[in-house]
Amino acid sequence: MTDLPIYPLTHEHKMLRDTARDFAQKEIVPIAAEFDESGEFPHATIKKMGEMGFMGIEVPEQYGGAGMDALAYTLALEEICKADAAHGVIMSVNNSLYCHGILNFGTEEQKHKFVTPIASGKAIGGYSLTEPQGGSDAGAIKSRATRDGGFYVLNGRKSWVTSGPVADYFIVFMVTDPDKKQKGISAFLVDGKTKGLTRGKKEPKLGIRASATSELIFEDCRVPVENRLAMEGEGFKIAMTMLDAGRIGIATQALGIAEAAYEAARLHAGQREAFGQPIGAFQGTGFKIADMKTRIEASRLLTYNAALAKEKAKESGKRYSLEASMAKLFASETAMYVTHQAIQIHGGMGYSRELPLERYFRDAKITEIYEGTSEIQRLVISRSELGIK
Ligand code: CAA
């Protein structure tokens, strides 16, 4: 990557980035294709990532984390995603959806109980908002949490939960007051072993196949009142705030995928000869390289900028929805463009499963879909610009 001078990377940033790069290239790259093929969850490498502190980079040390900043997290995640986007999304959900949300809205007890095991790499966290009838329209969820003395009784079906089959703890969003629409949604912290919670069908996915995704089924699942995150009715805002952080993680994932595909294409364009010269010397290929590089660097600027906005928000409390959505929108569309062109530059070999290009292409697609589709990002950006609710 280019060490852009406008981003003042500290010694700690560079150390973390280099450590993540070294680990990812040595330990993840050699196994990525095998786990993609089998669709098995990479327990061993995820455990090592936890031991290295990658699962709670921004979490203060008192809750088991590394106590670093948002840019540090982005730099480390980018390196993991260059090696394998499936490992990347597991890391992203742990850091930016799960830990970030509890740190922002949880009580001291909740932080100790639910953040420490995840941030220290001993357990895995999940975020459960989507339902079969409520994806983009997150306010339309129907699953119910009904108060019963010192408990809430949870009922409903959740879908597309990253790490659903393997996570130890979940943040779950449910309706506590159906008359109030978004303002009737509340958030709960649920231990995966709670009676009444079962893991549903595991999704057979196009890409990020080593990350496990499933439904969660709640049938009279009793959760103590002290596991409610913030007040009743605050769930929708919590979900949206978490997604602002999550979208920077997905922008970073897209950036990492694009960089990996680009590097392969750049080398190939310089080495492969046709008609007596490297194919990169033909304008049709050279201009592709120029466009890929430019879009990647623009994605990087938007993504690092969003990370810096997130870091500033820790003091100011200011929303960074616009920065996060612009980064995710541009970086995910760049990842699709770059992986597409990288296959084209490789010709038949790009289409072969012997090279990782086709995996990058399949993995890139999800970045335009989850944590808010490109259409939802455009909605967030245009509403923000036009001041329309
Ligand atoms: N931060 C704080 N508050 C926010 C907010 C944010 N980012 N976005 C909205 N709100 C607040 C609004 O200010 C408003 O509050 P008031 O009524 O007090 O003014 C309230 O929430 C309702 O906002 P909207 O009217 O804008 O809500 P909406 O129903 O129009 O929805 C939306 C807005 C942006 C479309 C939202 O529904 C959305 O983001 N949809 C996509 C959901 C999504 O990304 N799902 C992915 C789930 S996770 C996943 O993919 C799987 C995984 O495990 C990785």
Side-chain angles (χ1 to χ4, degrees):
M1 71 166 257
T2 323
D3 236 347
L4 293 168
I6 53 169
Y7 283 102
L9 297 190
T10 63
H11 178 64
E12 283 73 26
H13 284 139
K14 288 181 188 162
M15 286 251 297
L16 178 72
R17 183 191 64 193
D18 294 350
T19 305
R21 180 181 299 163
D22 196 49
F23 172 81
Q25 293 301 317
K26 285 197 183 121
E27 308 245 358
I28 300 179
V29 167
I31 61 157
E34 182 191 326
F35 278 82
D36 171 64
E37 180 77 30
S38 70
E40 267 176 62
F41 189 86
H43 285 284
T45 33
I46 290 296
K47 187 160 177 281
K48 280 192 201 163
M49 283 164 61
E51 287 161 1
M52 293 175 79
F54 294 167
M55 292 304 178
I57 292 179
E58 292 173 73
V59 174
E61 289 171 28
Q62 79 226 59
Y63 308 118
M68 297 184 78
D69 67 11
L71 187 56
Y73 162 58
T74 304
L75 293 165
L77 180 60
E78 185 182 335
E79 294 302 327
I80 301 297
C81 294
K82 270 194 223 169
D84 180 35
H87 281 76
V89 71
I90 300 161
M91 176 173 164
S92 174
V93 168
N94 269 283
N95 278 272
S96 35
L97 287 183
Y98 184 90
C99 291
H100 180 80
I102 306 175
L103 284 177
N104 270 276
F105 298 99
T107 62
E108 200 53 32
E109 288 75 28
Q110 288 173 338
K111 289 177 197 173
H112 280 291
K113 184 167 173 197
F114 292 99
V115 173
T116 306
I118 309 296
S120 57
K122 295 189 179 66
I124 292 174
Y127 170 98
S128 178
L129 173 66
T130 303
E131 295 181 4
Q133 80 295 341
S136 287
D137 187 1
I141 60 169
K142 296 271 180 289
S143 293
R144 284 297 307 270
T146 316
R147 184 81 183 253
D148 180 19
F151 288 84
Y152 282 93
V153 184
L154 275 43
N155 279 291
R157 184 178 283 265
K158 293 284 184 182
S159 50
W160 292 106
V161 184
T162 298
S163 300
V166 294
D168 301 278
Y169 301 100
F170 296 97
I171 299 181
V172 180
F173 298 89
M174 296 234 164
V175 176
T176 40
D177 187 341
D179 295 333
K180 291 189 179 160
K181 302 208 169 121
Q182 288 106 328
K183 289 197 168 51
I185 295 174
S186 305
F188 300 92
L189 300 168
V190 183
D191 187 322
K193 292 194 286 298
T194 314
K195 197 166 160 245
L197 166 56
T198 48
R199 330 278 171 133
K201 170 171 83 77
K202 189 177 158 198
E203 298 296 342
K205 305 192 299 288
L206 173 73
I208 53 162
R209 287 173 39 75
S211 74
T213 312
S214 75
E215 292 187 324
L216 293 181
I217 298 144
F218 293 86
E219 290 165 306
D220 292 333
C221 176
R222 293 174 75 80
V223 172
V225 168
E226 61 262 26
N227 284 19
R228 191 188 65 224
L229 196 57
M231 301 304 285
E232 264 195 25
E234 291 187 342
F236 190 77
K237 280 199 180 182
I238 294 175
M240 292 298 118
T241 306
M242 287 172 163
L243 280 170
D244 284 344
R247 287 167 185 165
I248 303 174
I250 304 308
T252 308
Q253 182 188 38
L255 175 62
I257 298 169
E259 285 179 289
Y262 170 74
E263 193 49 25
R266 190 183 69 81
L267 290 174
H268 191 72
Q271 286 163 3
R272 170 80 176 182
E273 293 206 356
F275 308 101
Q277 60 177 3
I279 57 171
F282 291 100
Q283 197 177 72
T285 304
F287 279 17
K288 281 187 175 62
I289 294 289
D291 288 344
M292 290 157 91
K293 175 69 178 165
T294 306
R295 292 190 198 190
I296 286 172
E297 293 308 327
S299 299
R300 185 192 314 287
L301 290 170
L302 284 167
T303 304
Y304 290 5
N305 184 57
L308 294 176
K310 178 183 171 197
E311 188 59 32
K312 278 196 187 150
K314 288 176 187 167
E315 295 291 322
S316 67
K318 204 168 160 274
R319 266 175 66 173
Y320 50 88
S321 313
L322 177 66
E323 290 88 344
S325 285
M326 289 194 304
K328 182 184 183 288
L329 173 64
F330 194 81
S332 59
E333 294 190 348
T334 294
M336 274 317 286
Y337 170 78
V338 170
T339 54
H340 180 197
Q341 297 301 345
I343 290 181
Q344 194 66 21
I345 288 171
H346 279 80
M349 278 315 290
Y351 200 63
S352 165
R353 300 194 77 162
E354 284 179 17
L355 291 185
L357 279 312
E358 59 83 33
R359 172 164 58 87
Y360 300 148
F361 181 65
R362 287 184 286 107
D363 288 349
K365 184 61 206 164
I366 191 61
T367 66
E368 291 185 317
I369 298 173
Y370 62 12
E371 301 201 23
T373 59
S374 293
E375 290 75 11
I376 289 293
Q377 307 314 322
R378 288 190 164 90
L379 189 79
V380 171
I381 297 163
S382 61
R383 278 182 179 180
S384 166
E385 282 301 284
L386 299 170
I388 296 171
K389 264 208 75 176

